[in-house]
Amino acid sequence: MKPEYRDCYLPFLQPGERLIIATDHFANTALPAVPAALRTPQPRPAPSPLEERVRGVLGSALGAVARPLGAVSNNRLVNNPLTRAAGRAGDRVEQVTDTLDHAADRAVEKAIWGTVMDGGWHSIAGRFLVDLTNAGGTPRRQAMTDRRLILLVDRNTSWRNTTPQWDLGVAVPRTHITHVTAHPKAVGGRGRFDVGFTDGSWIALGSAVRKHMEAFVAACGQGA
């Protein structure tokens, strides 16, 4: 187990909990999008002092350009109800286009990987994905202990300091897990494994490196 995978988990272990295996986590974009009704609004991260200074400089420059344009925006053509309606329609078209793009990406991944989850949003697999999505950040680490399956997310959004800011993404008791099995498909060397739960639901997880996935699956079997 590499220190870069092991050490980030130490602050999140319960007293007496034993870490069996920790690896990288590769997010599977074929997983379904969590419905908006189940999503928790995510707060915008506070900008760093440097980012605030950069935005201030850019804001001043853009403001100088925007002032003469503001006079134009007050004319009758821009404020015409028909013009505003066209603008709103354009916004809706853009939103629909983005949704279709995301759906197309998931369709491609699903064609490659096959089915990646089974169970409704209130199943163990569904709640797993909901909780992970609502945790925010980017899932980058996965581990199995003698008690839980745990995914960590990286909350760092700084483009200047790339040091990870680890936080708990989602955790599931091992008593809720029936099996962890390797999936035969491999794309670009990546590895997928499926985690089954006691209610019959399951979800596909993965590593960017197939041998990491194989080690994870093997360790889960040995540490059961």
Side-chain angles (χ1 to χ4, degrees):
M1 195 185 322
K2 294 183 178 181
E4 63 180 292
Y5 300 143
R6 178 195 63 217
D7 294 349
C8 60
Y9 271 95
L10 300 181
F12 301 97
L13 297 179
Q14 299 170 347
E17 187 173 17
R18 180 170 57 90
L19 187 64
I20 295 172
I21 182 73
T23 67
D24 69 290
H25 171 77
F26 184 85
N28 192 327
T29 56
L31 288 169
V34 173
L38 299 177
R39 286 177 175 263
T40 301
Q42 298 297 322
R44 293 177 64 86
S48 68
L50 176 61
E51 289 169 331
E52 287 184 336
R53 289 198 298 272
V54 171
R55 289 178 181 178
V57 172
L58 291 176
S60 299
L62 292 175
V65 175
R67 279 191 292 272
L69 293 178
V72 178
S73 67
N74 290 325
N75 67 35
R76 285 179 294 178
L77 174 62
V78 173
N79 289 312
N80 184 284
L82 182 60
T83 304
R84 292 199 300 271
R88 290 194 296 270
D91 290 341
R92 287 194 294 271
V93 169
E94 183 176 357
Q95 292 172 359
V96 170
T97 301
D98 289 342
T99 301
L100 291 175
D101 287 342
H102 292 315
D105 289 342
R106 287 195 297 272
V108 170
E109 289 287 334
K110 187 172 181 179
I112 295 172
W113 290 106
T115 303
V116 292
M117 191 177 88
D118 188 26
W121 290 113
H122 296 290
S123 68
I124 298 176
R127 291 307 312 175
F128 181 97
L129 186 54
V130 169
D131 291 345
L132 182 59
T133 300
N134 287 336
T138 304
R140 295 194 187 279
R141 296 288 185 266
Q142 56 199 8
M144 186 70 79
T145 75
D146 58 341
R147 302 177 188 176
R148 299 178 292 168
L149 168 65
I150 310 173
L151 267 65
L152 296 185
V153 297
D154 181 8
R155 296 197 181 281
N156 185 14
T157 59
S158 174
W159 50 267
R160 189 164 185 257
N161 181 4
T162 58
T163 302
Q165 297 177 3
W166 299 114
D167 200 358
L168 182 66
V170 63
V172 178
R174 288 197 65 161
T175 54
H176 292 175
I177 298 173
T178 58
H179 64 271
V180 178
T181 55
H183 194 276
K185 287 190 176 183
V187 180
R190 304 199 300 254
R192 165 186 162 178
F193 61 95
D194 299 336
V195 181
F197 302 105
T198 52
D199 63 352
S201 65
W202 60 269
I203 191 169
L205 303 179
S207 294
V209 182
R210 184 170 179 82
K211 67 178 182 180
H212 292 176
M213 176 276 290
E214 293 170 343
F216 193 96
V217 172
C220 290
Q222 294 169 3

